Amino acid sequence: MRPARALIDLDALRHNYRLARELGGGKALAVVKADAYGHGAVACARALEPEADGFAVACIEEALELRQAGIQAPILLLEGFFDAAELPLIVEHRLWCAIASPWQVEAVADLATDAVLQLWLKLDSGMHRLGLSPEDFRAAHARLSALPHVGPLVMMSHLARADELEHPRTNEQAALFARTVEGLAGETSLCNSPALLGWPQVRSDWVRPGLMLYGANPFPDHHELAQRLRPVMTLESKVIAVREIEPGEPLGYGARFVAQRRTRVGVVAMGYADGYPQFAPNGTPVMIDGVRGSLIGRVSMDMLTVDLTDHPQAGLGSVVQLWGNEPTIAELAPRCGTSAYRLPCGLKRVPRSYLNP
Ligand SMILES: *Cc1c(COP(=O)(O)O)cnc(C)c1O
């Protein structure tokens, strides 16, 4: 069997969730959209359900996957519904729903139901992606609050630049949010992972951690609090072939690596079709039997190559860790021109095994 695999440590996931909730000081929705950022939404939700205040996903398809797996906890649809025809299913499955556009407000108002909808009214406080303008927000709050089939509203917004710790935008967004919700009834929700870790003055009743649950530092640099996170995913495979090449000999597609010395090459069963970054440069860190080493040569679809010259103990069958506690996805991502969000999300083909269920 191909040795590529992703190990998902559910204890680390629980640890990170507890840290997020502790930092938030209130309730925390575990964001498990996009298959829990590639970690497996059902398994992650099952591991967190006994303690999580709820979950958040991008769309009803993701929510129904969790319901069908038996998850009973609240699930918020972060983008609400895409079509009013989804509303009966939202009612049937007791889903919470973000409302971010005037047409969604009207669709809720037009709904005939005996149930009570749990809605999160979303303000565009400066990200300018989803959300109501401050004027529309206050009008929508009044309109929805008056409907018998709408429960107490939660008021939310999303931060665009919380990962830039020196940038004034986060405080501006938080101030606009505070001004807009002033005097309105309902709980609030503002913080994503970088806000939880980096902006202690920005707080709300509900926090929405995503990336930090999976143990990744959301900041470009070392961050003290982020050190307390535990990486959840370890991506590893094994050396499946070893050869030595002479100085001057090229390695792999396009001869991106040319040996400067007699080089012992290990071929590893892991490629970009598994989600490993295709454009990882020569020298990208990997762990070879627990010792730091380097990628050499272009990453292929199913294989990549590492330098074993300085790893005389390593050989056929050696375990190569592509990411995990070292290198972390936060370290790897910028070297490969991608982000810590993108790396685990891109996982494909590799079977996942769950530790500490
Ligand atoms: C994805 C998402 C989050 C989680 O963001 P992280 O940066 O991963 O913590 C929170 N809120 C909304 C609205 C989102 O779309």
Side-chain angles (χ1 to χ4, degrees):
M1 210 158 73
R2 190 166 182 260
R5 58 186 192 152
L7 304 172
I8 314 287
D9 182 350
L10 296 171
D11 252 355
L13 179 74
R14 286 185 286 260
H15 164 88
N16 298 335
Y17 176 80
R18 287 174 200 146
L19 178 63
R21 189 161 56 186
E22 176 195 321
L23 294 174
K27 292 174 277 189
L29 288 185
V31 180
V32 294
K33 63 189 179 191
D35 205 20
Y37 295 40
H39 295 67
V42 167
C44 290
R46 282 197 180 127
L48 290 175
E49 189 172 30
E51 55 192 296
D53 300 306
F55 298 100
V57 296
C59 57
I60 195 162
E61 290 84 351
E62 293 180 342
L64 295 184
E65 185 194 7
L66 296 181
R67 283 285 182 259
Q68 271 144 25
I71 300 295
Q72 300 287 328
I75 303 174
L76 172 66
L77 305 177
L78 288 167
E79 293 166 34
F81 46 89
F82 300 88
D83 188 309
E86 292 169 31
L87 280 165
L89 274 176
I90 288 172
V91 168
E92 180 187 338
H93 293 280
R94 298 164 288 103
L95 303 176
W96 295 1
C97 187
I99 299 291
S101 300
W103 72 266
Q104 290 173 322
V105 177
E106 292 314 309
V108 168
D110 290 344
L111 181 69
T113 178
D114 298 331
V116 174
L117 288 172
Q118 304 297 325
L119 303 180
W120 288 43
L121 192 59
K122 183 162 182 173
L123 173 72
D124 173 12
S125 61
M127 173 120 171
H128 302 326
R129 188 179 62 179
L130 281 186
L132 298 161
S133 68
E135 308 73 54
D136 287 350
F137 184 91
R138 292 189 68 95
H141 190 284
R143 179 148 166 74
L144 292 171
S145 299
L147 297 172
H149 60 280
V150 172
L153 297 168
V154 176
M155 301 177 284
M156 71 181 290
S157 192
H158 196 44
L159 300 167
R161 307 189 71 169
D163 57 337
E164 296 168 73
L165 292 170
E166 306 300 326
H167 202 281
R169 190 62 167 176
T170 296
N171 283 330
E172 290 164 14
Q173 284 196 257
L176 178 58
F177 182 71
R179 278 203 304 283
T180 307
V181 305
E182 201 182 334
L184 298 180
E187 294 179 321
T188 55
S189 177
L190 206 47
C191 297
N192 54 4
S193 300
L196 273 168
L197 291 162
W199 296 85
Q201 68 279 31
V202 176
R203 283 298 171 260
S204 51
D205 299 306
W206 287 88
V207 296
R208 307 186 307 267
L211 187 68
M212 71 177 286
L213 293 181
Y214 309 104
N217 174 5
F219 304 107
D221 300 311
H222 172 89
H223 187 272
E224 208 48 45
L225 256 184
Q227 288 291 106
R228 288 173 61 191
L229 297 170
R230 286 170 49 191
V232 173
M233 183 189 291
T234 299
L235 180 65
E236 64 175 38
S237 190
K238 285 185 176 166
V239 173
I240 58 167
V242 178
R243 75 203 50 250
E244 297 207 352
I245 60 174
E246 297 300 328
E249 280 299 307
L251 171 64
Y253 285 118
R256 194 189 65 185
F257 177 87
V258 177
Q260 300 296 306
R261 55 176 177 171
R262 196 174 158 80
T263 299
R264 200 161 156 259
V265 176
V267 180
V268 182
M270 177 68 63
Y272 62 78
D274 301 300
Y276 190 82
Q278 183 179 9
F279 302 110
N282 294 331
T284 298
V286 297
M287 298 298 280
I288 303 166
D289 283 336
V291 179
R292 212 167 156 96
S294 297
L295 177 97
I296 48 174
R298 208 154 93 186
V299 174
S300 316
M301 187 179 285
D302 314 308
M303 285 174 268
L304 54 78
T305 37
V306 297
D307 191 342
L308 296 181
T309 318
D310 299 326
H311 299 260
Q313 259 57 52
L316 209 59
S318 283
V319 173
V320 177
Q321 179 171 310
L322 290 316
W323 68 63
N325 59 349
E326 193 179 350
T328 64
I329 56 175
E331 177 187 359
L332 200 59
R335 287 169 169 263
C336 303
T338 184
S339 78
Y341 288 85
R342 178 76 179 79
L343 283 178
C345 270
L347 197 74
K348 290 189 298 276
R349 183 167 69 183
V350 178
R352 291 180 293 226
S353 356
Y354 291 92
L355 311 176
N356 308 308

